[in-house]
Amino acid sequence: MKNHILLVDGMAILFRAFHATAYRNYFMVNSKGMPTNGLHGFIRHLAAAVDHFEPTHVAACWDMGSKTFRSEMLDTYKGNREAPPVELIPQFDAVKQVAAGYGIPNIGLKGYEADDCIGTLACLYAEEGHHVTVLTGDQDMLQLVRPNVDIAIMRKGEGNYEVFQENSFFEQKGLTPAQIIDMKGLMGDSSDNYPGVKGIGEKTAIKLLTQYATIDQLLENLEELPNGVRKKIESDLDNLHLSRKLAAIHCEVPISCSLEDAKWEVDEKQKQAMLEEFELMKLSRLLRPADSVTN
């Protein structure tokens, strides 16, 4: 049977789980005074994904601090983001303990984002012939779609996904996965706080890439563009090149995760101990694969 590896964008799920309840100022707090609504939601989202995609292996990737090679390239990168809510901060480390309680390896490396770790592992596993599904809420991940790599974007509710695959990607997005990088280079990204070309939005970026395929070919044919568009690009070339570099997921991070470590196999005693520690026993019925280890 072909291995199916689920790569989990840990922070994306944790933030989604937290804000799903926090917007009502509702926080689950255990007897130690620790908020656990993010942990609770993380487990529920993870359980829904495992049930839906039926992976043979699972690994979770995480950001390891705010300083990365991108923030060295642009000191204002992601600088517009608010500090995380105080109720969420203690759950950053706890959620990794939750993942470990289910036997899921936690992958991350300082200087890189979770996206880069996911991209690296996805490419490695796909090249070895395995099927990879990336679970995320981040549209930037769409550039990773390729043979053997699907991107599952979480939609509202649990177990609701829009899955992007190589054979149908162009029909869904009107671009190739590689063109997602160039689109972000042209239009920038207000969420990650990098500029792109001032005055060029998504609609114009897609139109230009539909005609010229890549930024490089676009630049070789600037004289063909309408004066307004050409002048915008010519006056913002530095930001164009910088934004394209910032948008590209780095798929050569010096990390590894063996299939043996990532095998989806829950040790019930380990799981129960973790759930008891964080007082999440109401969720004990979730994530119980048929081949659970009972020891």
Side-chain angles (χ1 to χ4, degrees), residues 9-283:
D9 185 351
M11 283 299 186
I13 298 179
L14 179 65
F15 270 87
R16 176 178 290 260
F18 176 82
H19 289 295
T21 53
Y23 78 94
R24 297 192 298 260
N25 288 321
Y26 170 67
F27 301 105
M28 301 174 186
V29 179
N30 65 19
S31 65
K32 301 170 187 174
M34 177 182 172
T36 59
N37 59 316
L39 306 182
H40 187 278
F42 178 86
I43 293 172
R44 294 185 64 88
H45 278 293
L46 180 63
V50 167
D51 182 61
H52 184 92
F53 294 107
E54 298 183 334
T56 58
H57 298 74
V58 182
C61 293
W62 306 91
D63 295 330
M64 302 296 286
S66 59
K67 297 297 182 182
T68 68
F69 73 94
R70 292 183 182 84
S71 58
E72 292 178 2
M73 293 167 62
L74 179 67
D75 57 10
T76 56
Y77 179 73
K78 292 190 176 181
N80 57 339
R81 298 193 178 185
E82 297 181 358
V86 293
E87 294 87 359
L88 181 56
I89 292 173
Q91 298 181 69
F92 287 156
D93 288 333
V95 72
K96 294 173 188 172
Q97 293 177 251
V98 167
Y102 288 105
I104 299 172
N106 292 303
I107 311 297
L109 186 65
K110 287 186 178 180
Y112 298 94
E113 296 181 42
D115 295 21
D116 304 308
C117 295
I118 289 172
T120 297
L121 293 178
C123 289
L124 286 172
Y125 293 143
E127 288 169 4
E128 292 172 355
H130 308 299
H131 178 202
V132 178
T133 296
V134 175
L135 179 66
T136 184
D138 186 354
Q139 295 276 337
D140 291 348
M141 294 283 200
L142 295 180
Q143 65 185 266
L144 296 175
V145 171
R146 63 199 64 203
N148 290 330
V149 178
D150 302 339
I151 306 298
I153 301 292
M154 295 184 294
R155 298 307 186 193
K156 189 174 182 179
E158 295 165 8
N160 186 19
Y161 315 101
E162 185 175 7
V163 180
F164 293 86
Q165 300 174 315
E166 186 198 28
N167 60 3
S168 58
F169 188 88
F170 189 83
E171 295 174 17
Q172 291 169 281
K173 300 299 290 185
L175 295 172
T176 67
Q179 286 179 310
I180 297 294
I181 302 171
D182 282 6
M183 181 185 74
K184 303 283 279 193
L186 285 163
M187 63 179 282
D189 188 319
S190 58
S191 175
D192 287 342
N193 202 37
Y194 59 84
V197 176
K198 187 175 181 180
I200 289 186
E202 182 176 1
K203 186 176 179 180
T204 301
I206 292 175
K207 183 179 179 180
L208 290 170
L209 291 172
T210 299
Q211 185 172 357
Y212 295 102
T214 67
I215 285 175
D216 292 334
Q217 291 185 47
L218 171 64
L219 294 178
E220 289 174 5
N221 294 279
L222 277 177
E223 69 282 353
E224 297 180 4
L225 301 180
N227 283 339
V229 175
R230 177 174 54 80
K231 287 179 181 178
K232 288 175 182 177
I233 293 174
E234 287 177 337
S235 63
D236 231 351
L237 282 174
D238 287 346
N239 279 334
L240 172 61
H241 291 304
L242 174 62
S243 296
R244 178 165 59 164
K245 289 179 181 177
L246 291 169
I249 292 176
H250 183 77
C251 295
E252 296 180 350
V253 180
I255 57 169
S256 63
C257 179
S258 71
L259 287 180
E260 182 62 30
D261 288 342
K263 187 176 181 181
W264 178 239
E265 196 174 59
V266 176
D267 182 318
E268 281 294 313
K269 287 186 178 180
Q270 178 176 288
K271 168 187 142 182
Q272 293 297 329
M274 177 273 295
L275 293 175
E276 287 176 9
E277 178 182 354
F278 293 110
E279 300 174 22
L280 299 168
M281 291 305 296
K282 289 183 179 179
L283 301 176

